[in-house]
Amino acid sequence: MTGRVAAVNLGIVTEAEWAGDASGRSGIDKRPVDGPVPLLTGGLAGDFIGDGARHGGPDQAVYAYAEEDAAWWSAEFGRSIRLGGFGENLTTYAVDVTGAVIGEQWQVGSALLQVTKPRTPCATFAGFWGVPDLIRRFTVRAAPGAYLRVLREGEVGAGDPVEVVDRPAHGVTIGEVFRATSLEPELLPRLLDAEDLPEPIREKARRRLGR
């Protein structure tokens, strides 16, 4: 089955005590939008990012989460989770986001994206959902979604195919990176094989391995 974009979601300004920066404003509340959206090097046009120190930037320009993983959480909590409910820009369908290889390239609409790293859950995420132990549960589940950088600007929209056009041979996946940096440190040596993994993560792995 060909993967596709189920929804393109843009953040709105949310003011709450759990918001991630000193201003108390967050862009985690993302809502589906109609029509193609310009995708620029810094992210989707019109997407609000509250805490620029921890979110956004070239290596985190776009956040993708799988509709299938969202359905698992919906069943786990016994409640509906709307599109964009994970703070994702792209809700995907029939795309193995957890199994995506670091550095692989996705053709989406007229844009070209590259998988960079997994999402790390934070207190803002837990506060947005109203689930105090969400960080622990999200970590154990280990289906974190993927951040992507923009290699070629373009437009993306709901229904666009997601085509993997290049995949590095090292095979280090989003799921492996997440588990290595959380609950399975024995996987840390694998991270040094992924040259497209952002350098701060590779440096952290080297320090923990004493290299």
Side-chain angles (χ1 to χ4, degrees):
M1 181 180 296
T2 301
R4 63 176 174 82
V5 176
V8 176
N9 312 296
L10 299 182
I12 63 173
V13 179
T14 299
E15 300 189 19
E17 60 182 12
W18 43 256
D21 72 347
S23 72
R25 306 168 83 208
S26 171
I28 194 171
D29 186 2
K30 300 196 186 298
R31 310 288 179 89
V33 295
D34 295 327
V37 179
L39 179 52
L40 310 176
T41 302
L44 287 164
D47 186 38
F48 175 74
I49 297 174
D51 185 0
R54 296 181 178 87
H55 301 285
D59 292 336
Q60 300 181 149
V62 180
Y63 175 48
Y65 200 77
E67 189 174 69
E68 296 86 349
D69 291 326
W72 187 93
W73 283 106
S74 181
E76 177 76 2
F77 288 118
R79 72 191 199 196
S80 176
I81 300 175
R82 60 174 173 74
L83 298 169
F86 289 80
E88 78 273 19
N89 299 113
L90 302 180
T91 310
T92 66
Y93 177 73
V95 177
D96 186 3
V97 177
T98 303
V101 173
I102 301 299
E104 77 175 34
Q105 297 178 17
W106 296 1
Q107 173 75 43
V108 185
S110 58
L112 183 65
L113 309 179
Q114 184 178 46
V115 174
T116 58
K117 66 176 187 173
R119 182 249 195 92
T120 301
C122 62
T124 297
F125 187 32
F128 177 57
W129 273 29
V131 179
D133 66 343
L134 182 61
I135 294 176
R136 178 189 63 80
R137 295 170 74 166
F138 195 81
T139 300
V140 171
R141 175 62 179 165
Y147 280 116
L148 303 103
R149 64 172 62 97
V150 179
L151 298 182
R152 185 179 67 239
E153 297 181 344
E155 291 187 334
V156 296
D160 283 346
V162 178
E163 181 183 2
V164 178
V165 296
D166 185 73
R167 178 172 284 152
H170 58 71
V172 179
T173 68
I174 283 289
E176 284 183 284
V177 175
F178 184 80
R179 299 196 312 275
T181 55
S182 56
L183 300 178
E184 299 180 41
E186 63 271 18
L187 294 174
L188 284 170
R190 289 275 291 145
L191 306 194
L192 303 184
D193 295 332
E195 294 182 357
D196 291 305
L197 190 64
E199 185 55 30
I201 299 178
R202 287 165 55 84
E203 177 58 28
K204 181 179 179 180
R206 283 192 288 266
R207 287 199 308 270
R208 293 179 64 179
L209 292 167
R211 299 184 185 179

